[in-house]
Amino acid sequence: MTQHISDTVISKTLISKALIAADYNPTHDAMLQRTLERIALKKEQGLRTPDELWIVDHNDVYTLGQAGKEEHILRQTTTPIIKTDRGGQVTWHGHGQLVIYWLFDLHSLGWSVRHLVSHAEQAIEDVVNDCLKNHPLATTTNISAHARRDAPGVYLYANYADIIDNNDIANNDIDKNANEPNDDAIMIGKIASLGFKIKHGFSYHGIALNIDCDLAAFNAINPCGYAGMQMLRLSDFTAMSAQLADALNYEQVTQKLIDNIAQRHGGLIELRAIAPKS
C-alpha cells in the first residue's frame, strides 16, 4: 500500500511529494489524474499550477512501455508486470532505486521534449559524477557518468575524456557534439533510465536511478529493450553507508538530485551540449 509521507514547497512554481512502499497502479493513476486536472485548469481558467516532483520508492514491479515488446521479458517471476503509458520498453522498479516523476508544464517553462529529456539526463550526470568524485571507492577513480544520443538514459564509462568544441559553447548549440568519449573509453553499463509521457504539453513519468537496489531483478528482462545490457548501481562505485559520517546514503543522493532538478526548473542550470550518437 502506498504511503504518502510529505509535500515540500521548493519554490512558487515547484513542489515535491514523497511516496514510499508505492504500488505502481495507484501511483500511476494518481499521477495521471493530477496531470489531467492541471491541463483542465490551464485550458478552462488559464491557471498555471505549480509543477511537481514525485519522489517514489516503488514496491517491486516490471513496467512495459506503450510500444513495449513482451519478447524483452525473458522469464516470468513473482514480480507483477504492468503495461503503462510512458515511452520506452520494459524496466524494473523497486526498493533501493530512486524514482522521480516529473509533472511539468513544458510550455510554461519554455522547454521542448528534447529539453526535458536532456535536463533529466544531465541532472543525473551531475549528481552521479559528484558522488563518484567526492566519495569514490579505490577502484573507481576513472569512472564517470554520461548520456548517449543513441540510447536514452545515463551510463558509466571508464577512461572517458570529454571533447568539447569551443564553437558549440560560444553558440550555445545544444545539438552539437560534446562529452564525446575518446577511443579508449569503455562503457561499463547503465545506471539510470528514463521514460516520459507528454499530454497537452504536460509531462509525467520520469527517471529511475539505481542507488543500492538488488540488480538481480534485471536478469529477467532485456532492460529498456537492450539484450545483454549490464545494469549498475551507485553503491558499487561510491562509499555508501548510513552509519559512516564521510559516506553517502540514499537520502543524500535523493536530495542532491532534487536540488539539481529544482535549479534547472528555476533556470539556474542551463543545458550543456548534448552528447552525440556513438
Side-chain angles (χ1 to χ4, degrees):
M1 181 179 295
T2 302
Q3 298 180 45
H4 181 195
I5 299 301
S6 62
D7 292 353
T8 301
V9 176
I10 298 174
S11 70
K12 290 182 179 179
T13 56
L14 184 64
I15 64 175
S16 68
K17 295 178 176 286
L19 301 156
I20 66 168
D23 289 331
Y24 187 83
N25 277 335
T27 303
H28 170 268
D29 292 348
M31 178 170 56
L32 174 58
Q33 181 60 35
R34 179 58 186 150
T35 299
L36 294 174
E37 290 170 356
R38 297 183 67 208
I39 292 169
L41 285 168
K42 187 171 186 180
K43 282 187 173 182
E44 297 167 9
Q45 302 180 38
L47 294 179
R48 181 184 179 183
T49 50
D51 289 335
E52 301 179 10
L53 291 174
W54 287 24
I55 318 304
V56 184
D57 163 47
H58 268 302
N59 292 324
D60 285 12
V61 65
Y62 292 108
T63 65
L64 191 62
Q66 215 163 20
K69 299 177 180 178
E70 295 192 8
E71 66 198 54
H72 292 303
I73 301 169
L74 303 180
R75 65 174 184 270
Q76 297 293 322
T77 71
T78 57
T79 300
I81 301 168
I82 296 175
K83 291 187 176 181
T84 189
D85 59 349
R86 61 161 172 79
Q89 293 287 331
V90 64
T91 194
W92 169 86
H93 298 313
H95 304 300
Q97 181 190 70
L98 172 60
V99 172
I100 301 183
Y101 294 133
W102 300 41
L103 281 68
F104 282 9
D105 177 350
L106 299 184
H107 293 165
S108 292
L109 287 172
W111 288 10
S112 66
V113 176
R114 180 70 250 181
H115 290 140
L116 172 69
V117 170
S118 296
H119 273 300
E121 291 176 332
Q122 291 182 18
I124 298 166
E125 287 178 349
D126 287 351
V127 170
V128 171
N129 283 326
D130 177 74
C131 294
L132 292 169
K133 177 182 177 181
N134 293 301
H135 303 274
L137 296 178
T139 57
T140 61
T141 54
N142 66 335
I143 306 297
S144 54
H146 304 274
R148 295 169 48 174
R149 285 297 295 273
D150 60 340
V154 176
Y155 303 78
L156 294 190
Y157 285 81
N159 304 317
Y160 191 109
D162 292 344
I163 301 173
I164 302 295
D165 185 332
N166 289 329
N167 291 326
D168 293 338
I169 297 172
N171 296 330
N172 193 29
D173 190 343
I174 65 170
D175 289 318
K176 297 295 184 181
N177 64 332
N179 298 321
E180 183 177 353
N182 64 349
D183 292 339
D184 296 328
I186 300 170
M187 193 195 78
I188 304 170
K190 188 172 189 178
I191 197 167
S193 304
L194 64 150
F196 290 98
K197 174 71 174 181
I198 311 299
K199 190 178 289 291
H200 299 287
F202 286 75
S203 67
Y204 58 107
H205 292 284
I207 63 177
L209 171 62
N210 300 328
I211 297 181
D212 58 2
C213 51
D214 182 357
L215 296 175
F218 289 105
N219 294 337
I221 61 174
N222 289 328
C224 302
Y226 291 94
M229 175 61 71
Q230 179 65 48
M231 297 301 289
L232 308 174
R233 60 183 180 182
L234 188 60
S235 61
D236 289 330
F237 298 88
T238 59
M240 295 191 68
S241 171
Q243 285 75 40
L244 299 178
D246 293 334
L248 283 170
N249 59 45
Y250 183 97
E251 289 72 22
Q252 288 171 325
V253 177
T254 299
Q255 192 58 54
K256 284 176 181 286
L257 195 46
I258 293 170
D259 291 345
N260 190 286
I261 296 168
Q263 289 180 65
R264 291 172 179 277
H265 183 272
L268 301 178
I269 299 179
E270 295 184 355
L271 283 175
R272 298 184 293 276
I274 298 172
K277 292 183 178 180
S278 56

